[in-house]
Amino acid sequence: MAKINGSDAMFKVLYEWNIDHVYGFPGGSFDSSMNAIHNWQDKIKFIEVRHEEAGSLAASAEYKLTGKVGVCFASAGPGAAHLFNGLYDAKYDHTPMVAIVANVPTSKQDIDFFQAFDEDKWFLDASVWCAQAKTAELLPVLMDEAIRQAYAKKGPAVLIISKDYGWQKIEDNFRVNYDAHVEDNYPAPTKASVEDAVKLLKEAKNPVVYFGLGAKDAGSELKEFAEKFKTPLLSSYLGKGIVEDNFPAYMGTIGRIGPKPANEIQSHADLVVWVGNNSPFSVLWFNKNAKVIQIDVDSAKFGKRHSTDVSMLADSKKGLRAIIDAGEDRMESPLYKASIADRENWDAWQASFKDSDESPVRPEPIWDVINKEAADDAIFAVDVGNVNVDQCRLLKMHDDQKLATSGLHATMGFGAPAALAAAEVYPDREVWQLAGDGGFAMMNQELLTMARYNMHILNIVFTNETLGFIQAEQEDESNQPLSGVILPDNDWAKVAEGMNVKGVTVRTKAEFEAAVKEWKKMDGPMLIDVKYTHKMPYSTELNSLDDPAFVKKYQAEDLKPFSYFADKYGMETDAATGASQHAEPEPDPEPDTTSGASRH
């Protein structure tokens, strides 16, 4: 029987799972596996990031973009510790990935040796599966297990390997279980659940659909549902892009980062068709008396965020299709008419600023260029901060465009690593990194990686000299003096040039458009530093259009409150609230001043 090094056997498993690249940063404790990377270089590409956190975030982003597990590695001690943000991002967003973590040789463990830790204890909470190989022979076995567990449990799997095991010779006889892996095949709904759902839908006055990432394969069904039953479509933040933004019944994302219509409409529903959505902030939304039809493949989600009247354990695509086929067409309700009008008013208001010559430049002119210039199959790697607000409201996704961001973990610095992953797995497509100056500052060293591998990435940094998302929280939620949010102005174009990336600074729409066109004609990466307005985005949390000061602050003279459209289309009070006419109204939730959570 032929012999093979333990680490080579481990990489052979990766190859036979059709994994052709890994992200990582070398270290002494990983030398045996670096030797395997050298041996496998013709089959598995090593993408050498400049920080281990970037590798783990890239691995998490890869599944979000492709549905295929991403792989990263780190050396013992500090290298391993740097993986946590990517692992928690994957765990919170239910993203399969694998992290290979080195440990010191077995003879040096448990004696307070250099960079030696009980790493399995570190990673138990950050993973859905974690194991440390007890023998060299287990390296290929556990690598195969790690990949299968990551897919099965929808999260990060961690394999810890001792340096000496990677060098040891073992028999080359492990049979990979790749052929046993099957695509997800979720159930169809029961007849009773479909009948119950159709009954509630027929009885409702003002139904809406609230969908999340679990509906990612059901975009066409969501649109057909909305058209047949005349239901506004609302989504979680991670649901953006499932239905193209220009679909008339799509009102956008509910929550602080979303547009005005979605936030206004949600409180007036008397029935919510809740599809593949587990947003933690949804406990703050919808009338407590509203009925709910919840479609999910995980029974633990039923009733978690709102009381549920019909629990439909089913694939979102199959569940929606069953209701569409069984239900009767509905006429447009007053809520539906008011919703369409509310969105049209909001869209017109935003569009009115697209050619603004305000300085520093407003968001609308810049995002107008992005919408016009981004290819129909462009990929957007979105960082965390106020960029999520602008992207959520102003980016008009369509066709085969894709988006990846850090959802529930919401880790700043996600944009650059996600862009690396996108450029690696889709080398023939445009990749746009969208980041604020706060988030970009955390992972800007990955410009070196982009330059090294000549990745065609456009890095757009919105420089507004503040941690804008936190500034708005301090101003609007906790009403405190600004503290710790101000950033120094920086010349990111010079930083980019110093890292061998073309850098351009722009201050106007015309300058930005010219820079984008230049990048589209060139190879490799570019960075555009947009000197951006310091004004905060429209506050959907306050949304006080009856307050002249609020209207003046946001130049919102052309916006109308939802009550205007509700009155215009004759919405009844009880139908508008979803509550009985004799019930006491629910009080508005108090501002969140204690948890530190941002209302996405």
Side-chain angles (χ1 to χ4, degrees), residues 207-210 226 230-234 249-251 265 333 335-336 339:
V208 302
V209 175
Y210 178 48
K230 303 301 185 289
T231 53
L233 298 177
L234 315 173
Y250 178 51
M251 300 295 130
I265 293 160
S333 68
L335 174 66
Y336 183 81
S339 299

Side-chain angles (χ1 to χ4, degrees), residues 61 88 101 122 144 169 220 233 262 305 330 430 462 544 572:
Y88 276 111
V101 180
W122 282 12
D144 183 69
K169 296 288 185 181
S220 59
L233 298 177
R305 307 300 184 188
R330 289 176 53 97
E430 292 180 1
F462 304 98
S544 305
E572 298 176 18

Side-chain angles (χ1 to χ4, degrees), residues 406-600:
S406 181
L408 290 185
H409 192 49
T411 184
M412 295 174 67
F414 182 88
L420 296 179
E424 176 58 30
V425 297
Y426 295 114
D428 298 324
R429 296 171 68 165
E430 292 180 1
V431 177
W432 299 59
Q433 186 202 169
L434 309 173
D437 44 350
F440 185 73
M442 294 186 174
M443 282 282 133
N444 70 88
Q445 75 283 338
E446 297 309 319
L447 291 175
L448 291 167
T449 311
M450 298 176 194
R452 178 174 182 175
Y453 299 106
N454 198 40
M455 293 175 165
H456 194 225
I457 297 171
L458 180 58
N459 302 276
I460 302 174
V461 183
F462 304 98
T463 299
N464 66 349
E465 301 174 44
T466 182
L467 299 176
F469 202 83
I470 308 305
Q471 176 179 332
E473 279 186 339
Q474 292 182 359
E475 290 178 338
D476 296 341
E477 289 187 29
S478 50
N479 300 305
Q480 66 187 82
L482 294 185
S483 178
V485 297
I486 304 303
L487 300 174
D489 188 19
N490 189 54
D491 192 334
W492 289 111
K494 284 186 178 179
V495 171
E497 294 285 351
M499 295 188 186
N500 303 310
V501 170
K502 171 73 173 178
V504 180
T505 299
V506 303
R507 292 179 170 81
T508 67
K509 180 179 183 178
E511 291 174 349
F512 180 69
E513 186 172 15
V516 170
K517 291 180 181 296
E518 180 183 358
W519 169 73
K520 290 171 77 76
K521 295 176 182 178
M522 61 179 271
D523 292 328
M526 176 189 274
L527 180 142
I528 304 177
D529 183 358
V530 181
K531 299 306 182 183
Y532 213 47
T533 181
H534 297 184
K535 296 177 182 177
M536 292 296 104
Y538 182 97
S539 174
T540 53
E541 286 183 307
L542 299 181
N543 196 27
S544 305
L545 288 174
D546 56 346
D547 179 358
F550 179 91
V551 171
K552 181 179 180 180
K553 177 179 180 179
Y554 295 108
Q555 301 177 40
E557 289 80 5
D558 292 333
L559 279 180
K560 297 184 183 303
F562 185 73
S563 58
Y564 170 86
F565 302 106
D567 291 341
K568 180 177 179 180
Y569 293 103
M571 282 179 58
E572 298 176 18
T573 303
D574 64 327
T577 64
S580 164
Q581 290 180 323
H582 303 291
E584 290 296 324
E586 291 280 342
D588 292 333
E590 292 296 322
D592 180 1
T593 59
T594 59
S595 72
S598 301
R599 295 184 184 180
H600 283 50

Side-chain angles (χ1 to χ4, degrees), residues 326-366:
E328 300 176 1
D329 288 22
R330 289 176 53 97
M331 300 293 289
E332 292 182 349
S333 68
L335 174 66
Y336 183 81
K337 294 177 182 178
S339 299
I340 298 295
D342 194 22
R343 181 194 154 156
E344 290 174 349
N345 177 235
W346 172 261
D347 287 348
W349 176 74
Q350 288 193 131
S352 71
F353 298 106
K354 67 183 178 65
D355 293 317
S356 167
D357 58 2
E358 284 185 37
S359 183
V361 65
R362 286 182 63 100
E364 295 87 355
I366 299 300

